Amino acid sequence: MVTVGLLYPGHSAEDDYPALEARLDGEVRLPVVITSVGEDAHRVDALLDLGRAERLAEGAAELAAAKPDAVMWACTSGSFVFGPEGARNQASGVAAALGVPASSTSIAFVDALNALGVRRVAIAASYPEDVARHFVRFLTAGGAEVVSMGSHGIITAAEVGTLEPDRVIAMVQAADHPDAEAVLVPDTAMHTLAIIDDLESAVGKPVLTANQVTVWKGLQLLGPVPEFKGLGSLFAAAGGGK
């Protein structure tokens, strides 16, 4: 059994991960350490504080007890606001602290698109538009073309964590675009791991969610990704990409 450790900021949808671990029946361990948060706000200054190296280092020190094989900074906005180089620096800092491979949710989105051979995407963002634009720039730097973006102006992660499945499905449907090959749902504060197949059925194409790509990337850091049912096209792809 492999262990993918997760550094997760604050409290919103962190229970998505133990629920998935239970469904996978012992195939993967997904221990979660909650990292400190200054202000729970989808605002650039607050997100730069959320993702600073000291907070990640504190979380990494706590996560060491779980003896992870790989580690993910399970936060999209707290990685993409730093840009591609800053996100890589976050991951390398965590990797150095724990002596295992590490990455983050923003990097995972880019790598998942490459694994699926997808370039044109639509974004269903819970964030305010100015924050969501940082995600667009991050994806564009990674070679994606964003053909449409829906932003919903939700300020706090805590509020995002309360969204019911029907609301999430409606957000994904509203953000979809005929030219998009996939729809991206970028917030790890949103509960999605139990409804990915429903999201894909609603739009008839791959849907990549933050918590899904986080788990996928954590596994990909260790080798070929197992094929797991109920986790959408990404996990159904042969070997999950490498």
Side-chain angles (χ1 to χ4, degrees):
M1 183 196 307
V2 299
T3 298
V4 176
L6 301 155
L7 298 175
Y8 189 98
H11 296 280
S12 44
E14 70 274 18
D15 54 331
D16 240 11
Y17 297 106
L20 175 62
E21 181 182 313
R23 291 203 306 277
L24 296 179
D25 198 23
E27 293 192 59
V28 180
R29 285 183 64 234
L30 298 169
V32 177
V33 162
I34 302 300
T35 59
S36 62
V37 175
E39 181 182 359
D40 177 13
H42 286 141
R43 213 178 54 241
V44 173
D45 63 323
L47 294 168
L48 289 169
D49 175 65
L50 177 83
R52 61 188 169 89
E54 294 85 352
R55 296 192 191 278
L56 296 183
E58 290 168 3
E62 185 178 344
L63 187 58
K67 296 183 176 173
D69 300 301
V71 178
M72 292 296 297
W73 168 224
C75 182
T76 324
S77 55
S79 49
F80 66 61
V81 293
F82 288 84
E85 183 178 0
R88 288 191 292 271
N89 288 340
Q90 285 179 325
S92 62
V94 171
L98 287 165
V100 298
S103 191
S104 70
T105 307
S106 293
I107 294 169
F109 269 111
V110 172
D111 291 350
L113 291 174
N114 289 333
L116 289 174
V118 167
R119 183 165 178 269
R120 295 186 306 280
V121 301
I123 297 173
S126 52
Y127 321 120
E129 184 172 352
D130 65 321
V131 172
R133 289 287 169 199
H134 282 268
F135 186 47
V136 172
R137 288 194 284 273
F138 193 97
L139 293 174
T140 301
E145 178 187 347
V146 178
V147 297
S148 69
M149 183 187 75
S151 60
H152 290 263
I154 302 176
I155 295 296
T156 68
E159 181 180 349
V160 174
T162 68
L163 297 177
E164 296 293 335
D166 287 351
R167 175 90 182 275
V168 177
I169 291 169
M171 287 172 65
V172 169
Q173 288 176 312
D176 190 22
H177 187 281
D179 293 339
E181 300 168 273
V183 181
L184 277 50
V185 186
D187 200 343
T188 58
M190 192 181 293
H191 290 89
T192 60
L193 289 177
I195 61 168
I196 292 168
D197 284 355
D198 296 329
L199 295 173
E200 292 198 339
S201 294
V203 293
K205 63 186 64 172
V207 175
L208 300 181
T209 78
N211 291 340
Q212 172 209 34
V213 301
T214 298
V215 174
W216 174 85
K217 183 63 186 178
L219 291 168
Q220 196 219 26
L221 289 171
L222 300 171
V225 178
E227 189 175 321
F228 290 136
K229 294 186 184 301
L231 289 175
S233 303
L234 182 61
F235 279 87
K242 179 69 175 89

